[in-house]
Amino acid sequence: MKAHVVAFESPVHKVHDVLPPPREEIDNVLAVLFTGPCRPTAEDMRRLPLLIRCNAVKKALEWLKLNHVGYRDVSISYTNLNGYIDNEPPVSIIYRESDGVPSTVTPSIFNGPGENEVVSGDCPFIVHGLVGEDIDNRTAEQLKGIAFQHWNTGGKALCVGHSSSPRNSFHDASLYPQMFPWLFPYGLGGIGSATSSLFIKKHKRNLLMYHDKRFQMDTAFPFVAFSHDQVKAATTSSFLAAEKLTFGYVSQRLMSVDQKMLTNLAKRLADGEIVIPDTESEKLYYQVIKDIDSVAGRVDGSIISKKYMNNEIWSLVACKGAPSWYITLSLADIWHPLCLYYASSDVEYKPEIPVAPDEVF
C-alpha cells in the first residue's frame, strides 16, 4: 500500500463538562428497539451490549479525573450516576409488536433463509459486509474488486464528516494521545511534546520498544508514525530545494515538459528498458527526473532512497571488496531490539544454519 495519513477532527455536537450526562440527554441520541411477538424479558436484556454497571463507571471516571490530563476540568455528577440502573440499558427500551414473520411486500435485500430461526442457544449476530477476518484473509486486489462490485450494484456508503483543515502533525503534542487514547492512557507523552528533550524519531523508536509492546503490536501506530516521518522529510526537502539558487531553472524545466512524452519515458523505464538519452528532449526529461529524485532521495523508505542506498552498497563493494559477514549471538545482550521483542513471548529460538557435510565438526 502506498498512502499517507492525514488526521482531521471529527464533528462534535457537544462537549460535556459534567459526566455522566443525565439519562434524558442520552435518550435524545440513542434508543433500543425490540420487535417480536413478546416483550423482552430480563434474559433478553442481559444479551444487550448496552448494559451499565454504575460502580464500574464511577471508578473509571474517578481514575480518569485523577490521572488523565484531559479530564482535569470535568466534574463527576453522582446525582446523574444514581439515575442509571445497574444491569439495564442507559436508554429507553422501545417495543414494537410483530408476528416475527418477515414482510413479503418489501423484504430486506439482506434477508436470507434461516437467519431468523433460532431453536436453542444464543441469538446470532449477523453482519452483512466485510469484517476483520475477511479483510485479513484477502489481498488488496480482492478488496478492490469487492468495493467495485458494491458500487456497481448500487451499494450504499456512510459518509462521516470532518473539519475543513487537517491537524498539524509537526508540532502538536496532543495529536497522538487523541488518535490513540488506548496507547496513551494518561493523555501525556505525546510525540513532539515541548517538555520532552527527545528527538521525534528517537521518541518514536523508544515507544516502539516499550516493555509491554503495545505500540509495536498496534495495527495502526507504526504505519502512522512512519507516514508522518515521510511527510515531514518530503516537506523539508521541498522547502530546501525551493531555497536553492538553481530553483528557477528547475521550475522552468518542469513547466516546459510534455506530459505525454514524460509518461512514455517513465513507462519504458518501469518495463526495464535501458534508455539512453539521445535527443535534447530526452535529456531534458532525465534532468527533470533527477530534480524530483533530489527531493525524494531524502525521504526514508522511498524508492529513490533505496536506489541511492543500492548505489552506495555497490560502490563500497567495488572499492573495498565483498563484505565478510559475522553473526554473533550474545545471550548477555539484553538491550538488543530482537531480545526485547521476543521477551515474555514464550518463543523457543532454535536457528537452523545449513552447513556443508565436510564442515561439520
Side-chain angles (χ1 to χ4, degrees):
M1 180 174 62
K2 297 180 180 179
H4 286 298
V5 176
V6 181
F8 290 88
E9 290 186 350
S10 300
V12 179
H13 177 68
K14 181 180 180 181
V15 178
H16 292 274
D17 56 358
V18 177
L19 292 177
R23 190 172 181 177
E24 300 80 29
E25 293 189 13
I26 300 182
D27 284 337
N28 295 331
V29 295
L30 188 64
V32 176
L33 175 64
F34 270 96
T35 61
C38 304
R39 290 185 174 274
T41 61
E43 182 68 22
D44 296 329
M45 292 293 187
R46 282 196 290 270
R47 296 181 179 180
L48 287 177
L50 295 174
L51 300 184
I52 187 172
R53 292 182 298 166
C54 296
N55 190 37
V57 174
K58 173 178 173 291
K59 290 182 178 180
L61 289 176
E62 290 175 347
W63 187 93
L64 287 171
K65 184 173 177 59
L66 182 63
N67 298 282
H68 198 286
V69 65
Y71 287 79
R72 289 178 180 175
D73 299 331
V74 175
S75 302
I76 302 177
S77 176
Y78 296 97
T79 303
N80 294 342
L81 186 61
N82 293 331
Y84 296 90
I85 304 176
D86 276 330
N87 297 322
E88 284 192 9
V91 295
S92 301
I93 303 296
I94 303 175
Y95 170 69
R96 181 175 297 174
E97 185 177 1
S98 66
D99 54 6
V101 179
S103 174
T104 58
V105 180
T106 57
S108 171
I109 60 175
F110 298 119
N111 274 351
E115 290 184 354
N116 297 322
E117 303 172 4
V118 178
V119 178
S120 61
D122 295 336
C123 180
F125 183 75
I126 302 172
V127 178
H128 299 282
L130 292 177
V131 295
E133 291 78 4
D134 298 329
I135 297 177
D136 294 338
N137 298 329
R138 297 180 186 272
T139 63
E141 296 299 327
Q142 290 175 336
L143 294 175
K144 291 178 184 178
I146 295 173
F148 280 122
Q149 182 182 8
H150 177 77
W151 285 112
N152 293 334
T153 55
K156 306 297 182 181
L158 176 64
C159 179
V160 180
H162 57 72
S163 59
S164 58
S165 58
R167 291 285 297 270
N168 182 9
S169 60
F170 280 79
H171 305 288
D172 190 353
S174 63
L175 177 61
Y176 278 83
Q178 292 178 2
M179 293 177 63
F180 304 99
W182 56 92
L183 299 180
F184 300 89
Y186 297 94
L188 300 173
I191 297 175
S193 175
T195 59
S196 175
S197 59
L198 292 174
F199 291 105
I200 292 180
K201 283 190 176 182
K202 188 175 181 181
H203 193 174
K204 292 178 181 179
R205 187 181 299 113
N206 291 346
L207 292 178
L208 289 173
M209 298 307 300
Y210 205 65
H211 70 95
D212 61 1
K213 306 178 185 177
R214 66 172 183 262
F215 291 94
Q216 58 180 273
M217 299 300 291
D218 189 83
T219 57
F221 178 81
F223 174 75
V224 173
F226 184 66
S227 173
H228 284 170
D229 280 346
Q230 288 187 315
V231 172
K232 293 176 182 179
T235 304
T236 303
S237 299
S238 301
F239 275 103
L240 292 177
E243 294 293 333
K244 291 183 178 180
L245 298 177
T246 58
F247 183 71
Y249 302 103
V250 175
S251 60
Q252 290 178 6
R253 284 194 293 266
L254 292 174
M255 296 299 294
S256 60
V257 165
D258 187 355
Q259 295 294 332
K260 293 183 179 180
M261 295 188 65
L262 183 61
T263 303
N264 183 29
L265 179 61
K267 185 177 183 302
R268 292 168 58 188
L269 293 173
D271 294 338
E273 181 180 351
I274 299 177
V275 181
I276 300 177
D278 295 328
T279 63
E280 292 297 328
S281 59
E282 290 182 349
K283 294 180 181 179
L284 174 64
Y285 300 144
Y286 261 86
Q287 187 59 42
V288 170
I289 294 176
K290 290 181 179 180
D291 295 335
I292 298 175
D293 290 351
S294 65
V295 176
R298 297 184 177 92
V299 180
D300 294 337
S302 63
I303 298 177
I304 307 304
S305 65
K306 295 178 182 178
K307 184 180 74 171
Y308 288 170
M309 190 182 301
N310 188 29
N311 294 339
E312 291 177 0
I313 293 174
W314 279 110
S315 300
L316 288 173
V317 170
C319 179
K320 303 293 185 180
S324 300
W325 299 101
Y326 295 92
I327 302 176
T328 303
L329 300 178
S330 176
L331 298 179
D333 191 4
I334 61 175
W335 298 108
H336 193 277
L338 289 178
C339 181
L340 296 176
Y341 181 82
Y342 286 109
S344 71
S345 58
D346 296 331
V347 176
E348 188 175 359
Y349 182 64
K350 286 186 177 181
E352 296 182 2
I353 303 177
V355 181
D358 57 345
E359 297 181 359
V360 177
F361 297 100

